[in-house]
Amino acid sequence: MNAISFNSRLIAEVQTSGLHLHRAASGVVLKSSVNAVFHFSSDDDIEWWPQQARVSVGLTQSKVRPLGWALPERTLFARSAPKAGGNYSFLLELYLTDAALNHVERTRAGGDLLFLIELHGVAQGSTGRQATQTELVSGCPQSEWIKQLRNIGWLRALLIEVAFPQLPKGWEQIDADLIRARESLSACRYDETVALCRKVIERLDKIAACKNAAGTFFKASPAGRHEREAMTLTQRMGAIGDAIRRATHPAHHVDEHIVGEYGPAEAEALLGLTIQLVSFIARRNLALRGAGEKA
C-alpha cells in the first residue's frame, strides 16, 4: 500500500486492484479500482477526496510515458466523523483514443505492461487544507492485456503479436503510415487502409533494394517451376512484397478504379501482411548493420 499524509501524519493507505478496459459509447475507457483504508482517530475532524490521477505506461517503473489524466467515477469524501477509520473504494476512469491505444501497444512491444498512477487529492481539517499525492503501480501481463483488447473488440488485437524491432533511422514515415492505416481500419475506411499499405510497400522496397543490384527487392515469382524451386528464402520473401503491391494496386490508383473495392477482411489481411513484412525487412537490415554492412 501507499500512504496519504496530512500535516505529516498518516491518515490512509491506498492500493489498486488492477486496470481494466471497457467499451463505452464514446470509445474505450481504462478503469482502475482503488481502495483506501483510513486511520482516523475518534476525535479527528478530517476529510479527504480524490481529484484526478496522472496515468503513465511503460515496461519498468523508471521508464514510463504519460498516457493521460483519469478522473474519479463519482465524487467521494472520506470523513473522520462520526466513526474512526473505514474503507473507501472508487474507480478512476481514463478515456482512450485509438492513438493512445496504439501508443500503449508500441510501448508494450509484445511484452508485459506497467502502469504508474499518480493519485492527487485534497485533505482538509481544522488546521487547513493540503494537497496530497501518492503513487500506485499496477502490472498487466501480456496475456491479460491481449484478452482485454479482444473483449472490447479492438481490431489491433489481431496484430499485436507482430513483434516490432527497433526501427532503423529513416523509417519514421513507414511507422507513421502504419499507424494511420490502423486508425483507418478502425474507422472502417478500408480503401484508405489499403492505400496506406501500398505506400508502406513502396517505401519498404526502396530501403530493401539497397542490397539488390537490380534496384528492386520485391519481385514476382518466376513462371517456370524449376526457377521457382531455385528461389532463395530472401527471394521468396521479396515475392510476398510484390504480391502485396499487386493486391493494393486499385487503392493506390483510385482515379482508375471504383472506390469501395476493399472490405474489412481484405483490409485486415493486407495490413497484417504488410506489418509482418516491415518486421522482417527491419530485422534483416539491422542484422546486416550488425555484420558491418550497409543497410
Side-chain angles (χ1 to χ4, degrees), residues 180-259:
R180 287 178 56 204
R182 170 59 189 87
E183 292 170 348
S184 297
L185 180 64
S186 181
C188 302
R189 298 192 298 268
Y190 304 123
D191 286 351
E192 181 178 305
T193 301
V194 176
L196 287 164
C197 288
R198 174 58 180 261
K199 286 185 177 181
V200 169
I201 289 298
E202 295 291 350
R203 298 183 197 278
L204 201 58
D205 194 20
K206 292 179 181 179
I207 292 173
C210 291
K211 298 301 298 178
N212 192 303
T216 183
F217 178 71
F218 299 145
K219 289 185 176 182
S221 298
R225 190 185 74 179
H226 295 298
E227 290 83 356
R228 289 198 302 271
E229 291 176 350
M231 291 173 68
T232 65
L233 178 59
T234 299
Q235 289 172 329
R236 294 176 190 275
M237 296 301 294
I240 294 175
D242 181 73
I244 297 174
R245 179 161 50 197
R246 293 173 185 273
T248 56
H249 180 83
H252 188 58
H253 298 281
V254 292
D255 54 328
E256 303 173 14
H257 300 272
I258 299 174
V259 176

Side-chain angles (χ1 to χ4, degrees), residues 8 34 71 82 87 92 104-105 113 118 146 167 278 280:
S8 301
V34 178
L71 298 175
N87 293 344
L92 291 170
V104 175
E105 280 300 282
L113 285 170
E118 301 173 21
I146 294 172
L167 294 183
V278 168
F280 168 74

